[in-house]
Amino acid sequence: MLKEVWYYIHIENLIYGSEELWMSNIDFKHTPYGDLAIVSMKGCEEISSKVDYYLKQWRNIPEDESFVVGANCPRFGTGEAKAVLNHTARGLDAFIICDCFNYNVTYKMYGQTVPMSPDDHFQDLKRVIAAFGGKARRITVIMPMLYEGRQHRRTTRESMDCAMALQELIAMGVKNIITFDAHDPRVNNAIPLDGFDNVQAAYQMIKALLKSVPDVKLDKEHTMVVSPDEGGMGRCIYYSSVLGLDLGMFYKRRNYSIVVNGRNPIEAHEFLGNDITGKDLVLVDDMISSGDSMLDIAKKLKEKGARRIFVFATFGLFVEGLDKFDEYYKNGMIDKVFTTNLIYQTPELLSREWYVNVNMSKYIALLVDTLNNDNSISSLLDPADRIKKIVAKYDAN
């Protein structure tokens, strides 16, 4: 049928005009790949409901209907589990949202309440994929913080957990994996023939900065981007080039002769860059774990004459609590900390005066809507034009 349509269009072009004219009048809107389904893993109910809200608004779906498909993983007394999908799987274009780092989710094992570890979350994810039984038209996993993303390369006789996890998901039938600000996106070399999209939160971070700090000036005279280590230079180069700002970097000097808490301790931070006296500084990293290195860097920058310090981190883990950040904020060492809602955030964190929550729900909904309609997300993965427009609008006001 499509060949016949093209044949008649081609004949009429030859008679009445150029192919370019006719092609410009053809609307190549894609139809949905399959029936859209959002599967929310445990701990992702809030962000999934927000994604569902935007999708219903854009598609004019009644409030009492939903794209969210019920799935749960009941556990036996021993801690063993199974996945149950409360919906037909056949023909679905399924998007599974999974937060492997939500320690607020618990289960009972031998009468004890046990918080779910990243391993538990990943195992439940595989159970849900298995529950589809190969009947879904396509399965996409949205895993904002990549499971085992920090164990992405081999430096000695050790496991490569992230690579193995990606290969497991693909072997189970997952067609595409979407993650945000991967610790090292080169880990996608483990699945070179399959879909892996690494999404950045740069636009949303800058938007949140302009909204929460109305007097910030994003120019070379007043603001500078700083990378806390050499490994994060890539994302910092992006910020500095898009915003037209100077770039500085800290070099971590580690003691490789000993291991403390699974890592080589940092002995000192050395700064490489131009004079920062009187400038606002944007510290950019993929995550805040304990926060020790970030706070140490902030203190050193203040000693060098920095005016204000804003911390950008896609994922705020805060594994050692918030007391250190409270102390540094009180002493004027940091001014604002920006992290996203892509992983679990405690009520205590959300209540802090120094904290700014960057909402990514609408962005995820846009990715899902675009992919479900079988369109390209290339323009969504590079927000440079949108960043320049919002900064220009901010400067004009």
Side-chain angles (χ1 to χ4, degrees):
M1 181 64 182
L2 289 175
K3 289 183 178 179
E4 294 175 3
V5 170
W6 175 250
Y7 173 78
Y8 286 118
I9 291 176
H10 182 69
I11 293 298
E12 292 195 23
N13 285 340
L14 295 178
I15 298 174
Y16 296 107
S18 67
E19 288 189 5
E20 289 79 5
L21 177 61
W22 278 88
M23 291 290 287
S24 65
N25 293 328
I26 299 174
D27 188 4
F28 286 104
K29 286 184 178 179
H30 293 178
T31 56
Y33 190 88
D35 294 336
L36 177 58
I38 306 295
V39 181
S40 175
M41 299 296 295
K42 283 185 178 179
C44 297
E45 293 83 4
E46 183 178 352
I47 194 168
S48 296
S49 65
K50 291 179 180 178
V51 170
D52 184 50
Y53 168 79
Y54 287 115
L55 290 170
K56 289 192 297 184
Q57 291 290 314
W58 297 337
R59 299 192 179 192
N60 296 319
I61 302 298
E63 280 297 321
D64 58 343
E65 297 183 18
S66 176
F67 289 109
V68 177
V69 170
N72 56 74
C73 296
R75 291 183 179 266
F76 303 100
T78 58
E80 299 168 289
K82 65 178 180 180
V84 180
L85 190 66
N86 302 323
H87 192 282
T88 179
R90 195 174 300 276
L92 293 182
D93 185 14
F95 292 81
I96 305 176
I97 302 178
C98 177
D99 176 11
C100 289
F101 298 86
N102 191 334
Y103 59 92
N104 191 50
V105 181
T106 61
Y107 62 91
K108 289 283 187 178
M109 185 171 70
Y110 290 99
Q112 302 180 51
T113 300
V114 181
M116 285 188 69
S117 69
D119 292 342
D120 290 327
H121 281 290
F122 186 70
Q123 195 66 27
D124 275 1
L125 171 63
K126 293 193 292 182
R127 291 185 177 108
V128 169
I129 295 170
F132 276 92
K135 299 301 188 291
R137 183 161 294 175
R138 179 174 64 182
I139 296 178
T140 299
V141 170
I142 301 177
M143 186 185 294
M145 186 171 177
L146 195 59
Y147 171 71
E148 291 289 359
R150 285 184 282 181
Q151 187 55 28
H152 61 285
R153 62 179 179 177
R154 177 176 288 152
T155 56
T156 181
R157 186 70 66 183
E158 59 187 2
S159 60
M160 295 181 66
D161 296 59
C162 189
M164 290 191 297
L166 295 177
Q167 291 177 353
E168 275 189 276
L169 294 179
I170 296 301
M172 295 186 71
V174 174
K175 296 299 181 183
N176 195 38
I177 298 168
I178 298 175
T179 190
F180 286 76
D181 205 355
H183 191 67
D184 189 342
R186 291 174 296 182
V187 74
N188 70 350
N189 291 333
I191 49 171
L193 302 181
D194 299 281
F196 181 95
D197 293 306
N198 181 40
V199 187
Q200 302 297 325
Y203 171 76
Q204 288 77 12
M205 286 287 187
I206 294 170
K207 185 178 179 180
L209 174 64
L210 297 178
K211 183 177 180 180
S212 59
V213 188
D215 63 335
V216 68
K217 297 180 180 179
L218 297 180
D219 55 49
K220 287 186 177 182
E221 290 72 26
H222 299 92
T223 308
M224 185 176 179
V225 177
V226 177
S227 176
D229 54 42
E230 61 277 15
M233 279 297 289
R235 64 179 64 89
C236 290
I237 289 172
Y238 182 85
Y239 275 94
S240 65
S241 61
V242 172
L243 296 174
L245 304 178
D246 287 334
L247 176 63
M249 184 192 80
F250 268 90
Y251 168 72
K252 290 180 181 178
R253 182 152 50 86
R254 293 180 179 271
N255 185 347
Y256 288 97
S257 63
I258 59 175
V259 176
V260 178
N261 294 328
R263 62 182 181 177
N264 303 108
I266 300 169
E267 291 187 336
H269 290 97
E270 305 293 342
F271 180 69
L272 302 173
N274 297 331
D275 182 30
I276 62 172
T277 305
K279 289 185 178 181
D280 290 335
L281 302 182
V282 180
L283 277 172
V284 182
D285 209 351
D286 59 332
M287 70 179 73
I288 295 173
S289 184
S290 65
D292 288 344
S293 61
M294 189 71 78
L295 293 175
D296 183 43
I297 288 171
K299 182 178 180 180
K300 290 183 179 298
L301 291 172
K302 275 291 186 178
E303 292 172 354
K304 289 180 177 292
R307 183 185 174 214
R308 293 180 297 185
I309 294 179
F310 308 115
V311 178
F312 284 6
T314 306
F315 308 108
L317 300 173
F318 301 101
V319 297
E320 294 183 3
L322 306 174
D323 293 342
K324 294 179 184 177
F325 286 85
D326 291 337
E327 179 185 348
Y328 272 65
Y329 175 70
K330 182 179 179 181
N331 295 332
M333 297 296 177
I334 58 173
D335 291 86
K336 292 288 182 182
V337 177
F338 299 77
T339 72
T340 69
N341 65 335
L342 292 171
I343 60 172
Y344 173 66
Q345 301 162 299
T346 64
E348 293 76 20
L349 175 63
L350 295 173
S351 67
R352 290 303 196 267
E353 186 177 356
W354 46 263
Y355 178 71
V356 179
N357 176 26
V358 181
N359 190 351
M360 300 294 292
S361 307
K362 191 173 184 179
Y363 194 23
I364 294 177
L366 188 57
L367 291 168
V368 170
D369 186 59
T370 304
L371 288 172
N372 179 240
N373 284 302
D374 207 20
N375 289 317
S376 172
I377 61 171
S378 297
S379 60
L380 299 177
L381 298 180
D382 185 4
D385 290 339
R386 285 181 291 154
I387 292 173
K388 290 178 181 178
K389 286 180 181 178
I390 193 173
V391 172
K393 184 179 178 180
Y394 172 82
D395 292 338
N397 295 332

